[in-house]
Amino acid sequence: QLLAFIQRHAGESGIVYCLSRKKTEQTATLLAEKGVTALPYHAGMDKAQREINQNIFMTEPGVVIVATIAFGMGIDKSDVRFVFHADMPGTVEAYYQELGRAGRDGLAADAHMLYGLGDIRMRRVFIEQEDSGDERKRREHKRLDALVGYCESPACRRRALLAYFGEAIEACGNCDVCIDPVE
């Protein structure tokens, strides 16, 4: 799915988010082997190499950065045409912030997220392993439930996303559910 998505965006700048450092490296290597200018970015990399990769992404067109959530704060590249989540993000807030890095120039941008039962299970384990009280864990489970609800929504994705933040809009007519409604 990632390769098909990237091929539709050939020559465009984009961000692929992965949960782990290992998957970040593997995905960047896979894309590079397929002819995509793809660079990894994660906190486990040498700081100088991270800066080099970030500078290439910021200054050159058509570069795909494959990153963990360590990437993004302070990034304001206007021509990012897509954000692809190879793993489910942790919360609706994180997803909203990460996909908001695309289309800052006002032109159309594309977002795609892969998720499955394994992602949900892993996120629940992360919550349970937190060094926090039961009340915080309960809130984090509810936040994860909200993200799963967004992912499985049979209604307009944009409408569902903005409703989470208390904003009501009409159906966008542009998301996967609006274009190809669920039976």
Side-chain angles (χ1 to χ4, degrees):
Q1 290 180 50
L2 172 62
L3 290 173
F5 180 87
I6 297 286
Q7 288 171 348
R8 289 193 307 271
H9 292 280
E12 297 177 337
S13 296
I15 304 170
V16 176
Y17 282 107
C18 298
L19 184 59
S20 71
R21 296 171 181 182
K22 180 179 178 181
K23 188 169 181 177
T24 297
E25 294 282 348
Q26 291 172 335
T27 303
T29 299
L30 170 72
L31 292 175
E33 288 171 352
K34 298 296 182 181
V36 177
T37 304
L39 301 169
Y41 186 102
H42 59 77
M45 294 173 63
D46 174 72
K47 184 177 188 241
Q49 188 62 54
R50 272 198 325 265
E51 288 177 5
I52 289 168
N53 289 3
Q54 180 174 323
N55 287 336
I56 291 169
F57 175 74
M58 294 299 292
T59 59
E60 295 183 18
V63 175
V64 175
I65 196 90
V66 182
T68 60
I69 59 170
F71 182 80
M73 296 309 267
I75 298 300
D76 191 13
K77 180 177 170 78
S78 64
D79 68 341
V80 174
R81 296 276 59 89
F82 65 87
V83 172
F84 188 101
H85 283 85
D87 298 292
M88 177 184 259
T91 64
V92 174
E93 293 87 351
Y95 178 64
Y96 186 73
Q97 183 180 57
E98 291 160 6
L99 70 85
R101 299 201 172 101
R104 291 189 174 179
D105 56 5
L107 300 177
D110 207 356
H112 194 93
M113 182 198 330
L114 301 178
Y115 79 100
L117 185 57
D119 291 296
I120 298 166
R121 187 179 312 117
M122 186 178 345
R123 289 290 180 185
R124 295 224 184 274
V125 167
F126 288 169
I127 292 167
E128 289 303 317
Q129 290 177 344
E130 281 182 8
D131 186 21
S132 62
D134 290 342
E135 182 60 25
R136 173 164 167 79
K137 288 178 183 178
R138 187 188 65 73
R139 284 192 313 271
E140 292 304 311
H141 280 294
K142 285 187 75 165
R143 290 172 75 196
L144 179 59
D145 290 344
L147 181 61
V148 172
Y150 164 79
C151 291
E152 297 181 356
S153 175
C156 172
R157 298 234 188 254
R158 185 163 190 233
R159 188 178 208 181
L161 185 61
L162 293 178
Y164 178 83
F165 295 105
E167 190 174 330
I169 65 163
E170 295 299 315
C172 72
N174 194 41
C175 69
D176 62 324
V177 178
C178 285
I179 292 170
D180 187 19
V182 177
E183 291 182 21

